[in-house]
Structure formats: structure tokens, C-alpha cells
Amino acid sequence: TAPTHARNTAFYGTTVVKGSATCMVFFIGDKTFLGKIASSIKSARSKSTLEIQIEHFVHLIAIVAVVVGLASLVANLMSPTQHPIGYIIANAAGALFAQVPEGLIPTVTISLMIASQKMSARHVLVRKLDAVETLGCVSVVCSDKTGTLTAGDMTLRDMVHFSTPADMVTETDFSTTDPADKVSLASKMLRGGVRNNATVITGPGKYVGSPTEVALTKAGIAAWGQSKVKDVMDNVTLYEIPFDSANKWMFVAEPHADGGQVFSLKGAPERVLKFCKFAYIGKGEERCITPMTPEMLDTVSASAKKLMNNARRVLGIAEKRANVPADYVWDKTSMEYAKENFLSDMVFIGLFGIQDPPKPGVKQAVEDCQSAGVKVIMITGDHPDTGVAIAKEISIIPANQELPPYTVITDKELADKVPSGESFADDGSEEAKRLEAFWTQVVVHARVFARVTPIHKQLIVQALQKWGGKNADGKAY
């Protein structure tokens, strides 16, 4: 397996925020993949528009200077008045160098410095002066959602679970829950939400880790206190599959107080529901486990959509009891084996609704970009409904209009729109024509990309660079 595709490789520069591992270093410095990327950037930096224009101007001045110098030389040689050869050469050289604009470099530098100062007054730090001019050429801004367009300070607002097979109830007060309560579904949900290795409590009100997991941890601490939350988090982990952008779920196996094990699954609702064959129904002592029906799946989907339309990030949670032999070697369990044997027949518990409000000033910034002719595109790993709700709130998408085709693009639509090579080709093949027909529409109309992976982000930028300067009819604008 190539190192870039190996599943047991950690790259230099990666920030580890969850899980645990024992690692062996086998590349350092420029030999690492990050080092190779840095080397390629240094050796292959593309010229800015300003550099290209100045280079073109200098070439023109050089041609003019040579022509003027030669003309002066010829004129002096053919003059009726005979001049010493030294005088003729000096005169020609003076004519040539007189064409060189000595003030060009300081003029450009001072102009960029003035622009940099103005940008600094707007709280923008400029590391390279030519970046100021490059910024003026921007026509599209692609932005992540969480922590960029939104505050990144997530808060648990809703917990939704079944009260009857046909209805779900929403809990907004978590103070009545208790991690030791084995009857209440709300308590069971919050305990499952707090149970993760993706958050580290570094002090009162201080957390390090995944913003989503931090939101659940903060809700648990607000309801139970820090000591009870740490007791839940410190429970023995038998086996764990950390969250990643491909699976969009995390799995934890831990011992149960009454014997056996309890398996917990948490992640994107549509991914969690695929593993759920049953669901918890009811409250208190009347709670029971019922087979999941198509009608119940529709009820869960409707509740999730309602939360997403309120700009909530939605997580589903499920669990099941298990009786794996005590001598089972958990460390040798592969993800494929776990998915096939541990994740089947899960019992659905409910949905978390987590709020991540837009940053102050983002809406105005988006509108300022649009008024300047710059298109703003949101690229997020969240559900499309959540992305659209935030996009409407910050004016990326009109709030009260029906969305035209290609406005919201999901990972499913991008699945077969990836070129077979490293970039888009112009070889006239069927694949090239099919991709061009799709992406020429996307770069014009798309405003939200949802459920995307890192490879999709690179693809989107490549498509915008290739076709972003054209209208849907293929004509340049």
C-alpha cells in the first residue's frame, strides 16, 4: 500500500485531538510529506498578476531603451560632425539608460505599503506586499463553515427522542438528567454524548478537542458538574473507532456495570440510522425497545430536518448491550470486523441539536463581498439542510427564495464527478466532456457544498480556477 493511502500512517504536522496510539517515526524533515509539500511550494510558486504585469512592462521598456540607444549610436556615427568614439559610446549609453524608470520599484513598493497599512486598519495582516494586489483580483471566496463563518463555540440546545412510535419529544432542560439514571432516555443520551476521547478538560471552562464533542461535554458539566463528567469520560475503553470525515460516526465499546459490554455509536443521523434495527420508546419505567419501522425512520428524518432548518448541527446516538467473551483480544479487532459484528442491530436513542451561531460581522462581510462582485461559497462537512440554514442567515443564499438547481451540492452528487487523473483534462474524452458539462454549471450557481471531504475541497478549487471565469453558456464574463 502506498504510504499516502495507508490506514496506519500519521503525517507530520497533524494535530491529534482524539484517540491514543503508539507510533514509530520513519521520516523526518524534508523527507516527510509535509516537507515535500513545502519544497514544492518553494520551487513552484506561481507569479502574481502584479509580477506578470511588471515583468511585461520591463520587457517593453528594455526594448524601447535598446532601440533609443541604437538610434543614438547610429545618429552620432552618421553625423557630419565627427565625434570621438568615447563620446559616441557615452552618448548612446546615456540615451539607453535614460529610458530605465528608476522610480518604478520604489513607486510600486510604496503603493503596496500604503495599501497594506489600509488593510491593517481593517484588521487584516499582510505577510507579503504583493498579496495586497492579488487580493484585488479575487472573484470567488470559498470558506469553511464551522469556526470561520460561525463562532465555533457550539452549545447543546436540544435532545430529541421517541415518546411514542409516532412522535418524538424535545428536551431543552438538561439539569434533571443524571449519569447514574438508567431509566431516563435524556440521561442515557447525555451520558453517551459525554462519553468520548475527543475532548480534554484542561481547567474550569477550558477544553481542547473537537468542537462538537466539547459542546456535549460542556452540557454535561453544566448539568452534573465536572467530577461526574470526568468519571464518565474516564471509564475503561475496550475498543474505539474515532470519528472521521469518511465514516461520519464514532464508536466506543466499554464494560457495563451489570456485566458484559455496552456499545455506543454517535454521528451523522443518516449514518447512525443505517445500523439501527431497534429504538427506545417511552419515558421512565414505561420505556421499551421496539423494532425500527419505516414510519419511525420517517419520524426521525422529519425531526432531524426540523432541527437543521433551525441551523442546528444534528447528531444521532445509538447503543446496544453485548456479551463478548472476557478473554477477547480487543486490540486485534479491525474496523471491518467491528462494523460487521459490533455495529449491527443497534438501538436508536435520539438526536442532539447543537447550535453554532454565525460570527458577529460575518453577514455584513458577506454582503460587502457580494456588493464588490465577489462570490462567497460555503464548503462544509455538515448536512446540507444545516449548511443552507446558516447560508441563508448570513446572506450567502437569499432567505425567501426557492433555490435553483446546482445551488447546493452534496457529496453524493460529487461522487462520480471526480477526474480519474490528478486534475481536469482537456483531451476531448467522454469523461472530460461529462465533467465539464457538470462543473461549468456548478461554478456559476453553487453557493453551498455540503458533506464534502478534503479531496472534494481541492477539486472545487481546481474547477473554479479552470471554469470560474465563464458563464454557464461558456462565454467569459
Side-chain angles (χ1 to χ4, degrees):
T1 303
T4 51
H5 297 286
R7 301 184 63 177
N8 61 341
T9 301
F11 298 104
Y12 171 69
T14 301
T15 300
V16 180
V17 297
K18 53 194 172 186
S20 58
T22 301
C23 304
M24 178 182 69
V25 176
F26 59 92
F27 282 135
I28 62 173
D30 290 342
K31 298 295 184 180
T32 64
F33 284 96
L34 187 63
K36 292 177 180 178
I37 293 172
S39 299
S40 65
I41 291 174
K42 287 181 180 178
S43 59
R45 188 181 76 85
S46 59
K47 295 179 180 179
S48 69
T49 305
L50 181 62
E51 289 175 317
I52 294 173
Q53 292 175 343
I54 291 178
E55 185 176 331
H56 178 65
F57 177 72
V58 168
H59 288 163
L60 290 178
I61 292 297
I63 293 172
V64 171
V66 170
V67 171
V68 171
L70 290 175
S72 175
L73 179 64
V74 171
N76 279 293
L77 289 174
M78 298 180 64
S79 173
T81 304
Q82 296 297 318
H83 298 289
I85 190 65
Y87 172 85
I88 294 174
I89 293 175
N91 190 273
L96 187 150
F97 289 114
Q99 311 306 313
V100 177
E102 297 176 358
L104 176 62
I105 294 177
T107 300
V108 172
T109 303
I110 292 172
S111 299
L112 292 177
M113 288 177 62
I114 293 173
S116 178
Q117 287 181 336
K118 290 184 176 180
M119 295 293 286
S120 178
R122 295 173 177 265
H123 308 290
V124 176
L125 296 178
V126 179
R127 189 166 66 93
K128 292 185 177 181
L129 288 179
D130 59 353
V132 176
E133 183 273 339
T134 303
L135 187 61
C137 301
V138 170
S139 58
V140 179
V141 173
C142 295
S143 174
D144 187 26
K145 180 179 75 68
T146 304
T148 306
L149 297 174
T150 61
D153 184 16
M154 297 188 182
T155 305
L156 179 64
R157 296 296 186 191
D158 314 277
M159 292 196 300
V160 183
H161 55 81
F162 279 106
S163 56
T164 68
D167 187 44
M168 300 190 79
V169 62
T170 301
E171 306 265 4
T172 56
D173 181 10
F174 315 132
S175 61
T176 57
T177 62
D178 190 304
D181 187 348
K182 299 180 180 180
V183 177
S184 166
L185 282 181
S187 297
K188 182 182 287 291
M189 282 186 67
L190 191 53
R191 187 194 182 282
V194 167
R195 182 68 182 93
N196 71 84
N197 290 330
T199 306
V200 177
I201 303 173
T202 58
K206 297 180 180 180
Y207 312 91
V208 175
S210 163
T212 304
E213 302 291 0
V214 167
L216 298 175
T217 302
K218 289 193 298 184
I221 290 176
W224 311 331
Q226 184 169 314
S227 61
K228 289 186 177 181
V229 169
K230 287 185 72 75
D231 289 342
V232 173
M233 295 177 67
D234 293 341
N235 196 27
V236 177
T237 300
L238 300 174
Y239 180 74
E240 179 183 19
I241 302 177
F243 179 90
D244 65 48
S245 57
N247 289 329
K248 298 192 182 300
W249 50 260
M250 63 162 289
F251 172 82
V252 174
E254 57 184 326
H256 194 275
D258 298 332
Q261 302 84 28
V262 59
F263 296 162
S264 300
L265 178 67
K266 179 172 58 184
E270 66 273 18
R271 302 293 179 92
V272 171
L273 287 171
K274 289 181 180 179
F275 299 104
C276 294
K277 194 173 181 179
F278 305 93
Y280 283 109
I281 302 292
K283 290 185 177 181
E285 298 294 339
E286 299 178 357
R287 190 193 72 194
C288 63
I289 297 177
T290 303
M292 182 74 79
T293 64
E295 292 76 18
M296 292 170 67
L297 287 173
D298 291 341
T299 302
V300 175
S301 298
S303 297
K305 189 174 183 66
K306 183 179 178 181
L307 291 172
M308 293 171 188
N309 289 339
N310 289 327
R312 300 286 197 265
R313 170 175 283 189
V314 181
L315 296 180
I317 186 169
E319 70 167 24
K320 78 171 183 179
R321 291 288 304 275
N323 288 292
V324 179
D327 59 351
Y328 181 78
V329 182
W330 294 93
D331 291 342
K332 295 184 178 180
T333 303
S334 66
M335 183 184 294
E336 288 73 17
Y337 181 86
K339 289 174 68 174
E340 183 178 345
N341 295 274
F342 297 163
L343 273 72
S344 58
D345 302 336
M346 299 293 289
V347 183
F348 179 77
I349 307 175
L351 301 171
F352 294 110
I354 301 173
Q355 183 184 33
D356 185 16
K359 280 183 180 178
V362 164
K363 185 175 186 292
Q364 184 61 47
V366 170
E367 292 174 350
D368 289 344
C369 285
Q370 292 171 340
S371 63
V374 178
K375 180 166 60 179
V376 180
I377 296 176
M378 175 194 294
I379 302 179
T380 178
D382 273 351
H383 193 280
D385 289 339
T386 304
V388 167
I390 293 291
K392 288 182 176 180
E393 195 171 341
I394 59 178
S395 300
I396 290 179
I397 293 177
N400 300 313
Q401 294 183 14
E402 185 177 350
L403 301 181
Y406 296 102
T407 301
V408 182
I409 304 296
T410 65
D411 58 334
K412 294 180 180 178
E413 295 170 272
L414 296 177
D416 61 342
K417 305 301 189 302
V418 180
S420 54
E422 294 184 358
S423 59
F424 294 99
D426 291 321
D427 54 9
S429 63
E430 288 297 323
E431 179 189 82
K433 294 178 181 178
R434 178 175 59 84
L435 294 179
E436 182 175 0
F438 173 77
W439 284 104
T440 49
Q441 295 292 329
V442 169
V443 298
V444 174
H445 301 293
R447 294 296 181 271
V448 175
F449 290 88
R451 287 289 193 236
V452 297
T453 62
I455 190 64
H456 288 147
K457 295 181 180 180
Q458 180 183 6
L459 187 70
I460 292 165
V461 172
Q462 289 179 349
L464 287 166
Q465 290 174 337
K466 186 174 181 63
W467 293 295
K470 297 179 181 180
N471 291 312
D473 58 4
K475 297 181 179 178
Y477 59 79

